[in-house]
Amino acid sequence: SQELEQSPQSLIVQEGKNLTINCTSSKTLYGLYWYKQKYGEGLIFLMMLQKGGEEKSHEKITAKLDEKKQQSSLHITASQPSHAGIYLCGADSGNSGYALNFGKGTSLLVTP
Amino acid sequence: GAGVSQTPSNKVTEKGKYVELRCDPISGHTALYWYRQSLGQGPEFLIYFQGTGAADDSGLPNDRFFAVRPEGSVSTLKIQRTERGDSAVYLCASSLSPGIGNTIYFGEGSWLTVV
């Protein structure tokens, strides 16, 4: 079965700093989803990447998909306290779009 | 509703009891998914419905777990003879249709605690 490894497991950054979270798959990636989860809440959809080399941005968050490396990265520019939470990557290895496998998440804390 | 709605938001039950968790997907979404998330872990797939039928139930841990979606909209996850290990957040999600390219929206989850 596909495994997704996220790094780092946790991150503490000062407000205004940039940061990157990585998600590496043990198998070919056909689609990669990024979600944010606030403590004790549901998952909030951020972005979905489908093609190798694809890059998407929303506000200060950019996600890229490197098909060859079977990896995706999530980059936050000029972090704010509102970015704090757990970032989860989810992927479907079989191009079916239903049984997503998720990484364990990266916990982000942004300090003033 | 505007988003995926789950009830109850919290449930505390005694070991051995029966529990039902309800999910109301986004209107018009044919695909519905149940996931379970334990502390410090990512969500784990349980079951997927396309319309009324369970297209894939390979993630259900054992026969104490069962889910239905009789009219192709609301779904109920049923857990019999609950055990302490069943304590987790149960997340429901829906998408317009299955397949890559369709955004999967999650609900807030139902926190289940078995004491």
Side-chain angles (χ1 to χ4, degrees), chain A residues 29-36 44-58 61-65 72-74 88-92 95-98 100, chain B residues 33 94-105:
Chain A
L29 284 169
Y30 292 99
L32 194 290
Y33 296 76
W34 282 102
Y35 289 88
K36 178 185 173 185
I44 300 166
F45 173 77
L46 295 176
M47 274 170 279
M48 172 178 55
L49 304 166
Q50 291 179 248
K51 303 172 188 175
E54 187 173 13
E55 179 175 321
K56 287 188 177 178
S57 292
H58 176 67
I61 302 176
T62 300
K64 300 178 186 179
L65 180 63
S72 177
S73 61
L74 186 83
L88 290 155
C89 65
D92 170 28
N95 204 25
S96 63
Y98 53 90
L100 290 184
Chain B
Y33 320 79
S94 70
S95 64
L96 195 58
S97 60
I100 292 294
N102 288 285
T103 303
I104 301 173
Y105 297 94

Side-chain angles (χ1 to χ4, degrees), chain B residues 24-43:
Chain B
D24 197 346
I26 293 172
S27 179
H29 282 195
T30 63
L32 184 146
Y33 320 79
W34 282 99
Y35 285 80
R36 176 170 71 172
Q37 186 177 24
S38 300
L39 197 63
Q41 304 294 315

Side-chain angles (χ1 to χ4, degrees), chain A residues 34-46 83-88 102-108, chain B residues 37-38 40-43 89 91 106-109 111:
Chain A
W34 282 102
Y35 289 88
K36 178 185 173 185
Q37 186 175 32
K38 293 234 169 173
Y39 299 101
E41 298 182 10
L43 278 65
I44 300 166
F45 173 77
L46 295 176
H83 288 128
I86 300 171
Y87 289 82
L88 290 155
F102 282 90
K104 291 187 177 181
T106 294
S107 177
L108 172 64
Chain B
Q37 186 177 24
S38 300
Q41 304 294 315
V89 179
L91 295 162
F106 282 79
E108 299 262 318
W111 285 78

Side-chain angles (χ1 to χ4, degrees), chain A residues 3-7 22-27 29 69-72 89:
Chain A
E3 290 186 3
L4 294 175
E5 185 165 336
Q6 288 188 235
S7 61
N22 292 305
C23 174
T24 303
S25 172
S26 61
K27 291 188 174 182
L29 284 169
K69 290 184 180 179
Q70 296 177 179
Q71 186 178 73
S72 177
C89 65

